[in-house]
Each structure stands twice: as C-alpha cells, then as structure tokens.
C-alpha cells in the first residue's frame, strides 16, 4: 500500500514574526516551479501561525505544537482547538517528548486531546519514543506500546486511519545522533503491527508513521526508503528555507 509521505518541520520555540516572514519569502521563491510529491507542513509557535496564514504558501499544511482538550474555559495560557481552526490549522503535534518531559503531559491528557481533535476534524500528529535509558534497557517496544494504547483508548477506527504517528527516540532529538534507518524501520513496523492488533490490518496500513530525530536533507532519503516510514518530523533542519526544501524529497 502506498502512503503519501508527510514531512513536518517542528519549529519548537524558535523564530519571531519577522524571521517567520523571511523564511516564507525565501521558501516561496525556492519552491516556485518545483513538483513536490509529498505533503509538507510547519508546526510554528502560536504567535507565528498567523504569519503563515496571511502568506498562504501553496499547499503548506499549518500545524500547531499543542492544544487544550476543553472547548473553552478558564485555562490561562492554553489555546483551544477552535482558535486553531480559525487560522486554518489542520494538524496538531501531540505528546512531543519535550511536552511530556517539561510540561507534565501524560498519556491520559494526550488521549483527551486526541478525542477533542478528531471530534473537531483535525489531525493529531501523535509523538512517541523511548528515552536513552529505556533504549539501553531494550524497553523501546514496551514503552511505545504503552504510549500508543493509552493515547488511542476509545478512539474510533475511522479516526485512526487519518492519524499521523511520529516515532522520535528521545536520544536522537537535537543530538545529531540518529537511529539507523534499519532501526527506525523496525520500530515503525512494530508500531504498525501494534495498530493492526488494536484495530485491524487495513486500518494499520493507512496510518502514516514518521521518524524524527536529527533528520536532515543528507539523511532523509535513507529513512523514507523504508517500507513503514512515511515521512519525518524535523526540528533543527526545518528552520532554514533551503534546508526545509531539501527535506521535501
Ligand atoms: P531535531 O530534528 O532537531 O533532532 O528535532 C526532532 C524533533 O524533536 C522534532 O519534533
């Protein structure tokens, strides 16, 4: 089954509005006349998303880095899904390891966010991945299965088919250390087999699974050649227009 690749740049807490505008100007020039086959998007900070919306770069998917699961309310500092929809956000990164580590994001809150996003017709990019010590202790599969089964509790199969999962081993994020393409393929296949166990094989074949962790233009092809890797979630190498374009292979 062929799945369209999806490449997402995760800008984390980088760039102000002017820098975002500069990126867009450069990227728009560079992409002109290019035949890009994959889906591609940028997960910008909440304050920079309106800059992306105003510029309406051809086919660029607008991605948020987080959302709240309640429709509205007294939740100081949070952003509601309908606010994101207002500015054309269609995908939201959920459960990034940095949010799990620094902001007490749990599998339970992640599950609530997935329910809220699917109910609003938005697509979650569900992040999972093991830490260095879990990797060394060969606990990768157990950790990821737990993250996925708890995140997907009660999620209907018609929604799961739209899901994007990002496998990001924490030890490979921002370290310059990547999993080998074969290692990443093994884990992404394990994830797909597990979705087949939880739902069924057809559904598992539709889910797009990204690899993330020190992906760059120089190594992205080796990951995308793998049969169960359908894209990448990229931090550092997505911040410059030329380098981001180099990821859209
Ligand atoms: P780097 O590509 O900078 O390693 O970051 C990966 C990541 O966390 C993307 O979400």
């Amino acid at each position: 089954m062929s799945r369209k690749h999806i490449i997402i740049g995760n800008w984390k807490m980088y760039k102000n509005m002017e820098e975002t505008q500069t990126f867009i100007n450069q990227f728009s020039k560079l992409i002109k006349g290019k035949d890009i086959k994959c889906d591609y998007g940028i997960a910008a900070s909440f304050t920079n998303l309106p800059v992306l919306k105003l510029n309406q770069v051809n086919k660029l998917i607008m991605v948020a880095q987080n959302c709240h699961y309640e429709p509205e309310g007294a939740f100081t500092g949070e952003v509601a899904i309908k606010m994101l929809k207002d500015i054309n956000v269609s995908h939201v990164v959920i459960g990034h390891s940095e949010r799990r580590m620094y902001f007490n994001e749990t599998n339970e809150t992640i599950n609530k966010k997935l329910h809220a996003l699917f109910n609003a017709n938005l697509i979650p990019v569900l992040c999972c991945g093991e830490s260095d010590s879990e990797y060394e202790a060969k606990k990768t599969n157990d950790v990821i299965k737990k993250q996925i089964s708890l995140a997907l509790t009660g999620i209907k199969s018609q929604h799961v088919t739209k899901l994007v999962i990002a496998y990001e081993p924490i030890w490979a994020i921002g370290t310059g250390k990547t999993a080998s393409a074969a290692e990443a393929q093994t884990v992404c296949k394990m994830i797909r087999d597990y979705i087949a166990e939880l739902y069924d094989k057809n559904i598992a074949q539709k889910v797009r699974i990204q690899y993330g962790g020190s992906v760059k233009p120089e190594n992205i092809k080796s990951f995308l050649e793998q049969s169960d890797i359908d894209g990448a979630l990229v931090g550092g190498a997505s911040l410059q227009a030329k380098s981001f374009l180099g990821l859209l292979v």
Side-chain angles (χ1 to χ4, degrees):
M1 150 133 210
S2 77
R3 291 170 295 268
K4 196 171 183 188
H5 288 167
I6 177 165
I7 311 294
I8 297 177
N10 176 9
W11 280 2
K12 308 189 179 188
M13 201 171 73
Y14 290 101
K15 290 194 194 291
N16 61 17
M17 288 172 85
E18 196 184 327
E19 289 161 339
T20 302
Q21 187 64 56
T22 302
F23 176 97
I24 293 296
N25 295 347
Q26 292 173 345
F27 182 70
S28 303
K29 263 194 211 153
L30 289 169
I31 203 170
K32 225 180 195 162
K34 296 256 182 339
D35 181 23
I36 307 290
K37 300 274 193 305
C38 61
D39 288 333
Y40 58 95
I42 296 278
S45 65
F46 294 131
T47 55
N48 288 329
L49 284 167
V51 182
L52 297 185
K53 178 179 163 140
L54 284 174
N55 284 277
Q56 301 212 333
V57 179
N58 190 23
K59 291 190 186 156
L60 182 80
I61 298 172
M62 305 245 306
V63 188
Q65 297 176 15
N66 185 27
C67 66
H68 198 277
Y69 49 83
E70 290 292 346
E72 62 182 11
F75 299 104
T76 301
E78 291 291 320
V79 171
I81 291 170
K82 66 179 175 190
M83 299 168 186
L84 299 174
K85 274 185 104 166
D86 269 355
I87 52 165
N88 292 5
V89 165
S90 59
H91 292 58
V92 184
V93 175
I94 296 295
H96 192 280
S97 57
E98 287 149 16
R99 294 215 54 85
R100 293 179 193 253
M101 270 190 292
Y102 307 132
F103 303 100
N104 301 324
E105 187 113 323
T106 64
N107 288 316
E108 288 68 30
T109 52
I110 289 165
N111 175 246
K112 287 184 185 175
K113 291 179 184 191
L114 257 58
H115 277 280
L117 284 167
F118 281 128
N119 289 338
N121 281 324
L122 265 69
I123 298 178
V125 179
L126 169 65
C127 299
C128 60
E130 80 285 8
S131 67
D132 202 5
S133 58
E134 289 162 343
Y135 174 73
E136 292 299 336
K138 304 205 181 316
K139 288 190 182 146
T140 300
N141 290 7
D142 293 345
V143 169
I144 290 174
K145 282 183 176 177
K146 186 171 175 199
Q147 289 171 337
I148 289 183
S149 68
L150 293 176
L152 293 183
T153 301
I155 302 288
K156 295 194 181 81
S157 48
Q158 77 260 28
H159 288 147
V160 176
T161 57
K162 302 202 177 89
L163 180 66
V164 178
I165 295 178
Y167 166 54
E168 298 203 307
I170 297 170
W171 50 269
I173 295 178
T175 56
K177 243 191 335 187
T178 62
S180 70
E183 243 177 334
Q185 159 62 20
T186 302
V187 178
C188 291
K189 181 173 186 313
M190 181 278 294
I191 293 172
R192 196 176 306 287
D193 290 345
Y194 189 53
I195 303 279
E197 230 176 85
L198 293 174
Y199 293 87
D200 70 42
K201 218 172 160 191
N202 277 338
I203 288 166
Q205 283 304 316
K206 292 193 173 123
V207 175
R208 292 194 284 183
I209 305 177
Q210 300 174 310
Y211 167 75
S214 300
V215 175
K216 317 183 260 280
E218 301 82 62
N219 62 18
I220 191 163
K221 275 197 190 133
S222 67
F223 293 107
L224 297 183
E225 277 163 13
Q226 308 299 317
S227 56
D228 288 288
I229 301 182
D230 311 310
L233 185 58
V234 186
S238 71
L239 289 165
Q240 304 304 325
K242 189 162 173 248
S243 166
F244 182 60
L245 186 74
L247 296 164
L248 310 185
V249 289

